[in-house]
Amino acid sequence: MEKRIKQYYLDPRIEDPISNLDFFLRDFLSGNIQVKQKYFYHSAICAKNWIELVKDTGNYTLAYQARKLLETHIQTILDKIKRDTKSTNLSFISLGVGDGKDDILILSKAKQFNSVNYFLYDISYPLITHTLKQVESSFPENEQSNIKKIIIMNSDFLRIEDHKNNFLTHPKLFCLLGSTMSNFEEDTLLRNIYNTMSNNDYFLLGVDCALDKFSVTQLLNDSSKSNKGLAFLQGPLEYAKFLVTNKYFNSYKRQQWAKNINSIKAFNLKPIQENRSRIGNDAITIAYQHNDMKNILVNHSHKYKTNDVIDYIQNEIGMQLVLNFKGVDDSEIVHSRDSCSYSLLLFQKIEDDIQKKCDIQKQKPKADHRGGAIKDNINV
């Protein structure tokens, strides 16, 4: 039996939680800023809170709708790729592995491919290891498994173009599901993914859809219904309190940080502004408040119109829409558990000479390549 290959890549540019404690806490405590989204997933504490939140789909409408739509249509999507490419191989690149359940679902439906290379790409090492354990338990290494290679990539999505040469097997399916797109400036993220793709590769995108009369209050309903939602929003604060007890601080600095952390007494969940990102509504919430009333913005969520996303990706990014799955038209959406306000869009990169010229004009200077080499067969 051919042994399954496991490879591991750790981007040295990822901030190490130990060596960057000062940076994290300064960022967290500076007041009137928005805490970076990565801090909701980066640590083991926050990763655990996220896994518990998405497990509770009864109170988290987005997770329920996203998984239901994927379960219904993933076989059609994979059959379409197989039929159009006539390939016996597939590279599945999971951008944001979450709790691993979406990845397991996709892998379980990819039986029409003789060989699958599975990439776990995430900035959160705890989420990667959790998902890897779930996948290896669901698909043990034996003669029946078509998963021939597992590649663990702990890196920032915005650096994915740096790793383009690691995605060699065609066709490739890049998946960005849930509401992951809203954690980034959309144009930058989408262009990085586009530039990483080869001609005829596929991109499966989950879109958290907007209501016609979108209200920030509606955004908060899901997360505030359960203690798990509140625990997720408080994750960075919980992590900060853990860090101030760390032995890597000297005693004076530890006392100063502890004093600042303990001054954050109020947990106050409410909307403070609503505006537009480039292609979506941007809802920002206050979750933490200093005793001197300075606000720390800790969570935001973009909501999109499906047609706006399709138009933007086709006209500005240059991908072609292949399949579009949504429950009802955006104009008919009612914000409830069973009225789907989530879309699943399959795009393909199809280049021609004119488009290539446009892409060259759009491309930004490429980042330098300071990443380490992939190492084979390292146990995680």
Side-chain angles (χ1 to χ4, degrees):
M1 182 181 69
E2 185 179 351
K3 185 175 176 61
R4 177 184 289 167
I5 297 172
K6 186 190 294 183
Q7 298 176 326
Y8 178 74
Y9 173 84
L10 174 63
D11 191 331
R13 294 165 291 181
I14 296 272
E15 292 91 344
D16 174 33
I18 298 302
S19 62
N20 289 277
L21 297 180
D22 280 2
F23 175 80
F24 171 85
L25 290 170
R26 283 196 191 97
D27 191 19
F28 187 81
L29 292 168
S30 58
N32 294 313
I33 64 161
Q34 182 174 320
V35 173
K36 294 180 176 65
Q37 290 291 90
K38 68 181 179 182
Y39 290 139
F40 285 92
Y41 312 96
H42 203 222
S43 68
I45 291 171
C46 295
K48 178 177 179 293
N49 289 340
W50 170 247
I51 291 168
E52 288 299 315
L53 175 62
V54 295
K55 186 189 302 181
D56 186 22
T57 55
N59 281 313
Y60 188 22
T61 304
L62 172 63
Y64 169 83
Q65 293 178 347
R67 192 148 293 154
K68 185 177 179 181
L69 208 61
L70 186 65
E71 288 172 351
T72 303
H73 299 294
I74 187 57
Q75 192 67 70
T76 300
I77 292 167
L78 292 171
D79 287 346
K80 170 73 172 172
I81 294 173
K82 170 69 174 179
R83 186 169 59 251
D84 289 355
T85 63
K86 298 179 174 59
S87 175
T88 59
N89 304 318
L90 177 71
S91 285
F92 163 39
I93 299 100
S94 175
L95 301 175
V97 297
D99 63 353
K101 290 184 178 179
D102 288 344
D103 288 11
I104 290 172
L105 176 61
I106 293 171
L107 290 167
S108 70
K109 299 296 184 180
K111 300 300 184 185
Q112 62 273 67
F113 297 97
N114 295 337
S115 175
V116 174
N117 291 339
Y118 169 47
F119 294 79
L120 301 85
Y121 197 110
D122 205 297
I123 196 171
S124 171
Y125 187 74
L127 286 179
I128 286 177
T129 54
H130 171 85
T131 295
L132 180 62
K133 185 182 296 184
Q134 301 298 313
V135 167
E136 292 190 319
S137 174
S138 299
F139 306 98
E141 186 176 353
N142 55 46
E143 62 274 9
Q144 278 77 42
S145 176
N146 64 344
I147 304 173
K148 304 303 182 184
K149 185 181 290 188
I150 296 178
I151 303 93
I152 300 98
M153 306 192 76
N154 184 204
S155 187
D156 192 318
F157 291 168
L158 299 183
R159 296 179 183 136
I160 190 171
E161 192 179 351
D162 293 354
H163 313 303
K164 181 174 182 176
N165 291 337
N166 295 320
F167 308 122
L168 296 178
T169 304
H170 300 291
K172 297 189 289 290
L173 173 63
F174 293 80
C175 292
L176 190 71
L177 301 176
S179 58
T180 307
M181 181 170 68
S182 72
N183 289 345
F184 300 86
E185 197 285 312
E186 300 97 342
D187 185 77
T188 302
L189 175 63
L190 293 171
R191 290 190 191 283
N192 271 275
I193 293 172
Y194 177 87
N195 291 335
T196 306
M197 296 168 70
S198 300
N199 197 27
N200 296 320
D201 282 346
Y202 293 86
F203 175 49
L204 183 62
L205 176 65
V207 180
D208 189 7
C209 301
L211 307 180
D212 268 359
K213 297 180 178 179
F214 176 71
S215 167
V216 179
T217 305
Q218 291 170 326
L219 168 70
L220 303 180
N221 285 340
D222 283 346
S223 58
S224 61
K225 281 178 183 175
S226 74
N227 291 331
K228 293 177 181 178
L230 298 180
F232 171 68
L233 292 176
Q234 293 184 91
L237 176 60
E238 186 182 356
Y239 183 46
K241 288 182 176 180
F242 164 77
L243 291 181
V244 298
T245 65
N246 196 288
K247 64 181 180 180
Y248 288 87
F249 284 117
N250 63 48
S251 58
Y252 173 76
K253 187 174 288 186
R254 186 163 58 245
Q255 290 173 5
Q256 293 302 308
W257 286 131
K259 180 180 178 181
N260 288 330
I261 288 290
N262 291 331
S263 73
I264 307 174
K265 299 183 181 300
F267 182 71
N268 187 17
L269 184 65
K270 64 179 181 180
I272 63 165
Q273 70 181 52
E274 178 180 348
N275 52 39
R276 293 282 297 179
S277 68
R278 187 172 293 213
I279 52 175
N281 289 305
D282 187 17
I284 300 180
T285 68
I286 297 175
Y288 311 132
Q289 202 167 61
H290 279 284
N291 56 8
D292 62 1
M293 300 308 289
K294 288 183 179 178
N295 296 322
I296 301 177
L297 314 180
V298 299
N299 195 38
H300 76 279
S301 178
H302 295 174
K303 298 258 183 178
Y304 307 93
K305 294 284 189 183
T306 302
N307 289 337
D308 289 350
V309 174
I310 292 172
D311 290 345
Y312 192 86
I313 292 179
Q314 291 197 134
N315 298 328
E316 298 295 329
I317 305 301
M319 297 187 211
Q320 178 178 309
L321 181 68
V322 178
L323 294 172
N324 175 4
F325 300 106
K326 58 181 179 178
V328 292
D329 290 339
D330 288 335
S331 60
E332 300 171 5
I333 289 173
V334 178
H335 192 72
S336 72
R337 188 169 182 265
D338 293 302
S339 295
C340 192
S341 54
Y342 184 83
S343 291
L344 201 56
L345 309 175
L346 182 68
F347 294 91
Q348 188 175 21
K349 179 175 181 177
I350 301 177
E351 293 182 327
D352 55 33
D353 290 339
I354 296 176
Q355 187 173 334
K356 285 181 181 178
K357 292 177 182 177
C358 294
D359 293 337
I360 291 172
Q361 294 174 354
K362 291 178 182 179
Q363 284 177 350
K364 297 179 293 185
K366 206 172 180 182
D368 61 36
H369 295 258
R370 291 175 288 168
I374 285 184
K375 298 179 181 179
D376 288 342
N377 299 319
I378 295 179
N379 294 323
V380 178

